[in-house]
């Protein structure tokens, strides 16, 4: 089945394994042009694995991941690198190079991937630092920034090449409430100003409800729902409600299976 024309990301029947263990179970997901899609789920739900597939860092066992209409797992390395120039990634910890200043970190993608002169690169990086309210901090080192400032610096670097698609991993993690709200507002302003499509992976409910056009909830490698904030909040799925209300998941214990797991013999590799 073909995706609508305004689809930027199209995932079809995605299955992936770590060894013999199946992690993602036939995932189907589409992200539309200009929307903010939030991917949520508890620990071990498959969020990080799905994120790696979206970045083209891992090949699936089966199924497809299309970005901008191209199957990223069929692209030649040079073509995948070219496609990634339309993508920006802001990692959870910022991932700034500690030996470079804030400005040098933001300028790095332009130096690596364009033939622009130094003056133009400096102007473009300063423009992006202005966008994230860090214009006066470009000469500082990453170690001199607060957690919220590090997130914003990473965001400036992620958008310095004016990407069409932005990935943001746990933007509010480790931030105080005020800094988290400021970052949420910045994400919304970016979408409006740049018309950018944004995928956010998070477990922060308040942030997700504030910025999302749609939310995808993952649980144990399955998509429980993809819908608007209201649709997610009103879902009668008990696992979704447990996540929203922070209730522990109660699992029934199969005594025989538990005993077999404890007593099974591990195979010893032969030399």
């Amino acid at each position: 089945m073909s995706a609508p024309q305004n689809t930027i990301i199209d995932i079809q029947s995605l299955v992936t394994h770590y060894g013999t263990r199946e992690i993602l179970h036939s995932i189907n997901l589409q992200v539309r042009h200009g929307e903010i899609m939030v991917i949520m789920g508890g620990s071990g739900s498959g969020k990080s694995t799905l994120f790696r597939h979206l970045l083209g860092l891992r090949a699936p066992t089966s199924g497809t991941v299309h970005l901008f209409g191209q199957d990223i797992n069929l692209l030649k390395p040079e073509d995948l690198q070219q496609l990634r120039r339309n993508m920006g990634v802001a990692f959870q910890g910022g991932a700034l190079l500690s030996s470079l200043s804030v400005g040098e970190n933001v300028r790095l993608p332009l130096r690596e991937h364009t033939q622009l002169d130094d003056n133009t690169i400096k102007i473009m990086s300063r423009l992006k630092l202005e966008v994230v309210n860090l214009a006066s901090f470009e000469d500082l080192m990453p170690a001199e920034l607060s957690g919220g400032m590090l997130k914003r610096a990473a965001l400036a670097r992620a958008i310095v090449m004016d990407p069409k698609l932005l990935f943001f991993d746990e933007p509010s993690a480790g931030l105080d409430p005020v800094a988290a709200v400021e970052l949420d507002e910045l994400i919304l302003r970016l979408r409006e100003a740049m018309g950018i499509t944004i995928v956010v992976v998070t477990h922060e409910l308040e942030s997700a409800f504030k910025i999302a056009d749609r939310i995808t909830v993952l649980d144990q490698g399955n998509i429980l729902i993809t819908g608007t904030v209201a649709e997610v909040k009103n879902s009668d799925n008990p696992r979704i409600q447990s996540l929203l209300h922070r209730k522990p998941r109660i699992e029934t214990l199969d005594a025989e299976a538990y005993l077999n797991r404890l007593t099974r013999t591990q195979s010893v590799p032969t030399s």
Side-chain angles (χ1 to χ4, degrees):
M1 182 178 66
S2 60
Q5 289 187 347
N6 68 339
T7 298
I8 298 296
I9 299 174
D10 182 25
I11 301 174
Q12 296 287 339
S13 304
L14 180 68
V15 175
T16 193
H17 289 76
Y18 290 157
T20 60
R21 183 182 177 190
E22 188 170 296
I23 303 300
L24 297 178
H25 315 300
S26 195
I27 298 294
N28 294 283
L29 179 65
Q30 289 76 44
V31 179
R32 305 162 186 157
H33 171 73
E35 81 170 328
I36 298 178
M37 170 66 78
V38 171
I39 299 175
M40 295 180 60
S43 178
S45 62
K47 300 192 307 294
S48 296
T49 299
L50 181 58
F51 192 64
R52 285 192 286 271
H53 281 299
L54 290 171
L55 298 180
L57 299 177
R58 184 176 182 85
T61 304
S62 61
T64 58
V65 178
H66 284 79
L67 301 183
F68 308 106
Q70 300 185 74
D71 186 336
I72 62 174
N73 295 297
L74 297 181
L75 293 177
K76 296 178 181 178
E78 59 269 24
D79 294 329
L80 179 58
Q81 188 65 23
Q82 182 65 35
L83 181 141
R84 283 177 173 153
R85 295 184 183 184
N86 292 314
M87 300 159 51
V89 185
F91 294 99
Q92 179 175 346
L96 299 183
L97 298 178
S98 60
S99 60
L100 301 181
S101 70
V102 171
E104 289 168 334
N105 268 284
V106 175
R107 293 191 285 271
L108 189 59
L110 294 171
R111 296 197 187 283
E112 291 290 321
H113 301 297
T114 75
Q115 301 298 318
L116 297 172
D117 62 85
D118 282 350
N119 193 47
T120 301
I121 287 175
K122 287 180 180 179
I123 292 171
M124 291 181 66
S125 65
R126 285 169 183 164
L127 281 172
K128 294 308 189 290
L129 285 168
E130 288 273 3
V131 169
V132 301
N133 301 317
L134 286 178
S136 60
F137 297 91
E138 69 171 319
D139 294 327
L140 293 185
M141 303 302 287
E144 299 175 293
L145 300 184
S146 67
M149 294 165 71
L150 276 172
K151 298 270 189 180
R152 285 186 279 141
L155 184 54
R157 185 179 60 184
I159 63 173
V160 73
M161 292 183 63
D162 296 319
K164 298 175 182 176
L165 177 60
L166 174 66
F167 295 100
F168 215 145
D169 185 20
E170 298 286 2
S172 301
L175 299 184
D176 65 75
V178 174
V181 169
E182 290 175 345
L183 194 56
D184 289 341
E185 292 288 349
L186 180 57
I187 291 171
L188 291 170
R189 290 201 305 271
L190 271 178
R191 192 266 299 274
E192 293 305 315
M194 300 178 66
I196 195 169
T197 304
I198 303 176
V199 176
V200 178
V201 176
T202 186
H203 66 276
E204 299 287 346
L205 294 174
E206 187 173 350
S207 175
F209 292 157
K210 182 178 179 65
I211 66 175
D213 293 308
R214 291 190 298 152
I215 295 174
T216 292
V217 180
L218 283 174
D219 181 68
Q220 296 182 343
N222 296 291
I223 290 181
L224 299 182
I225 188 174
T226 296
T228 64
V229 171
E231 289 170 339
V232 171
K233 285 183 175 180
N234 295 326
S235 171
D236 58 4
N237 186 303
R239 288 193 179 275
I240 293 175
Q241 289 304 315
S242 292
L243 178 67
L244 298 185
H245 298 287
R246 302 181 183 276
K247 294 180 179 178
R249 192 166 56 208
I250 299 174
E251 299 181 355
T252 57
L253 181 65
D254 184 319
E256 184 176 353
Y258 179 63
L259 182 61
N260 288 337
R261 188 164 75 245
L262 291 176
T263 59
R264 73 172 182 264
T265 303
Q266 298 290 332
S267 59
V268 179
T270 56
S271 56

